[in-house]
Amino acid sequence: MRASALIFWGLFLCAATVACSERSGASGPNELVRHVPKASSNLALSFDGNGDYATTGTAEFPIGRGTQTLSAWFEAADVSGRRALITLRKDEDSGVEFGLQDGLVSAWRVFGNRVLVAAPSAISAGGWHHAAYSFDTTTNQIYVDGALVASSINLPDDRTPTTSWLGTLDGTSDLFKGAIDDFRVFNVARSGEQIAAEAAGNFSNVDPGLVLDLPCDESSGNIVYDHSDLGNDGELGDGIAAHAPARVPSGAPIDTN
């Protein structure tokens, strides 16, 4: 190969390496990580309760009875019945669903709808809240606005999730009505101190165990980008415009009528 060609390929490989590693939060100068487009807006996703949903990748997601934490910010326009925030499922028959049951922040098994743990007091429609569910292989815990409000030792379904749903159980059931922001999944059980800090707005996307981090700040398009290093990007409505949640300012009040 001619020297000029060798120089060309060397420059090409160098440029590709820089492009791949161009992301804040990389753990070292030699680590290649994906590029995530930067967004200047502070947005959330608005679900109409009548067919809106999103799905994400599941790389390195926690097994059902493994350590895990699911969290999100939300403002519910309707708290009646079951309203999913995040659902991690294995096919059609097992998994964990995290959301609201008649206003109670809860986590329940997909199979048989058996409640794992539920907050003792219901929230009302309107007003933003931070909610988190954690499991340390023994104990389920529910946190609301950074405070531990319930725990149990009920066992989740023990399967590795193959699908991840946002704002629904399966695209047709348990549809959320309201706005959701900052969807996060960890394959570790976060401590109470970490969850309280997250609810207070102190969060780093290099925290251990993070496998999904969706700030939802993109101003357009069908994709919400995962800010973990795993590329579990979300797709609004599976690419179907009629089922895609709208983008709204994060923290803004919603119509609860």
Side-chain angles (χ1 to χ4, degrees), residues 25-45:
S27 61
N30 296 321
E31 182 179 349
L32 300 184
V33 294
R34 61 192 296 266
H35 174 75
V36 176
K38 294 182 179 179
S40 58
S41 303
N42 185 16
L43 300 175
L45 298 181

Side-chain angles (χ1 to χ4, degrees):
M1 184 179 291
R2 295 176 57 184
S4 59
L6 288 171
I7 292 171
F8 170 80
W9 281 108
L11 291 172
F12 174 81
L13 291 172
C14 180
T17 299
V18 171
C20 289
S21 60
E22 202 174 59
R23 178 183 178 275
S24 61
S27 61
N30 296 321
E31 182 179 349
L32 300 184
V33 294
R34 61 192 296 266
H35 174 75
V36 176
K38 294 182 179 179
S40 58
S41 303
N42 185 16
L43 300 175
L45 298 181
S46 176
F47 298 78
D48 65 4
N50 191 35
D52 287 353
Y53 69 93
T55 56
T56 81
T58 58
E60 296 190 28
F61 270 33
I63 192 170
R65 292 183 184 173
T67 56
Q68 60 191 282
T69 307
L70 316 181
S71 66
W73 282 92
F74 71 92
E75 183 176 20
D78 188 343
V79 296
S80 63
R82 292 192 316 228
R83 306 282 179 173
L85 294 171
I86 304 172
T87 305
L88 308 185
R89 300 185 60 183
K90 165 65 175 173
D91 301 325
E92 299 294 327
D93 57 359
S94 68
V96 62
E97 188 172 357
F98 174 51
L100 304 176
Q101 294 210 37
D102 292 322
L104 300 176
V105 178
S106 312
W108 58 97
R109 295 173 66 167
V110 168
F111 182 74
N113 185 32
R114 286 172 284 185
V115 174
L116 295 170
V117 60
S121 301
I123 64 163
S124 301
W128 281 86
H129 297 277
H130 182 267
Y133 162 70
S134 73
F135 182 64
D136 64 4
T137 73
T138 301
T139 304
N140 304 280
Q141 295 184 319
I142 289 288
Y143 294 80
V144 178
D145 296 328
L148 175 64
V149 296
S151 61
S152 80
I153 56 172
N154 299 320
L155 285 176
D157 296 325
D158 194 22
R159 299 287 184 88
T160 299
T162 55
T163 55
S164 167
W165 300 83
L166 308 181
T168 184
L169 167 68
D170 55 8
T172 60
S173 305
D174 303 353
L175 293 161
F176 190 83
K177 185 174 183 179
I180 315 177
D181 198 5
D182 294 329
F183 299 88
R184 293 180 181 130
V185 176
F186 301 80
N187 58 20
V188 298
R190 301 260 284 169
S191 69
E193 291 78 9
Q194 289 173 314
I195 292 171
E198 184 180 343
N202 301 315
F203 174 75
S204 169
N205 66 355
V206 295
D207 279 3
L210 182 67
V211 296
L212 178 72
D213 177 28
L214 299 181
C216 302
D217 290 336
E218 296 78 12
S219 59
S220 63
N222 261 348
I223 302 299
V224 282
Y225 288 96
D226 176 19
H227 286 236
S228 82
D229 285 334
L230 294 170
N232 289 316
D233 299 333
E235 185 174 21
L236 306 185
D238 279 340
I240 302 169
H243 296 300
R247 302 176 189 275
V248 296
S250 184
I254 59 174
D255 184 4
T256 58
N257 295 320

